[in-house]
Amino acid sequence: MPLYYISRWGGESKVGTMVGVAAATNGISAYGMLNLLAGHPQAKDLVGRAIPAVDDGTAGSAFVAETGVDGMTRPEVEYATVSSRSDPVVQLSESQLPPGPNVSDVVVPDSCAENLTNHGTMVNDDITLRIIRNLLDPATAVAPSCHAVAPLP
């Protein structure tokens, strides 16, 4: 949604830095499961009723395609994604933005190898939060205090 706001609703003049945490930047496939559902409309509709974001957030959906019209980023905005290889919902390729001079794609275990935070735990993880604070205010950045974080839901 922040990317849509920036690219389609004029948010590039109002947003300085956009940070996506475990974001479905490019839409999700749920490790191929949503692609399988696409071939079975009744099952897709059932899942869509239970989890409405599935329709708009699926890779290749009209919403994801419209968000990326004219590119995923705008030069006026700094972008960062923060993701994890342990995420059972969003894969790295689905979360990250294309490389660019105003894009930082951060993978938490690259900063702290023993941190296996995932989709459900990233927003409460102190290491991830330190990384986000560093991205938002590089002048006051400090290295995260690394410690083990289990990939629990």
Side-chain angles (χ1 to χ4, degrees), residues 61-122:
S61 72
F63 179 79
V64 172
E66 187 176 347
T67 300
V69 169
D70 301 325
M72 293 296 285
T73 62
R74 300 295 178 268
E76 303 91 339
V77 178
E78 294 293 318
Y79 295 86
T81 65
V82 181
S83 52
S84 174
R85 288 184 193 85
S86 304
D87 194 325
V89 179
V90 181
Q91 297 170 272
L92 286 180
S93 62
E94 296 169 341
S95 183
Q96 296 179 329
L97 285 160
N102 57 337
V103 174
S104 299
D105 288 315
V106 179
V107 181
V108 175
D110 290 351
S111 296
C112 294
E114 63 270 31
N115 185 319
L116 302 177
T117 190
N118 65 33
H119 196 79
T121 59
M122 289 185 87

Side-chain angles (χ1 to χ4, degrees), residues 18 23 25 34-35 39 42 46-47 51 62-63 65 72 84 87 96 101 103 106 117 128 139 141:
M18 194 240 39
T25 302
L34 296 178
N35 300 27
Q42 290 175 329
L46 182 63
V47 171
I51 310 170
F63 179 79
M72 293 296 285
S84 174
D87 194 325
Q96 296 179 329
V103 174
V106 179
T117 190
T128 301

Side-chain angles (χ1 to χ4, degrees), residues 12-65:
E12 71 273 9
S13 66
K14 295 173 179 64
V15 176
T17 303
M18 194 240 39
V19 179
V21 180
T25 302
N26 300 296
I28 61 171
S29 67
Y31 291 86
M33 296 293 289
L34 296 178
N35 300 27
L36 290 173
L37 282 177
H40 301 86
Q42 290 175 329
K44 184 177 178 289
D45 290 344
L46 182 63
V47 171
R49 281 195 297 273
I51 310 170
V54 166
D55 286 334
D56 286 338
T58 298
S61 72
F63 179 79
V64 172

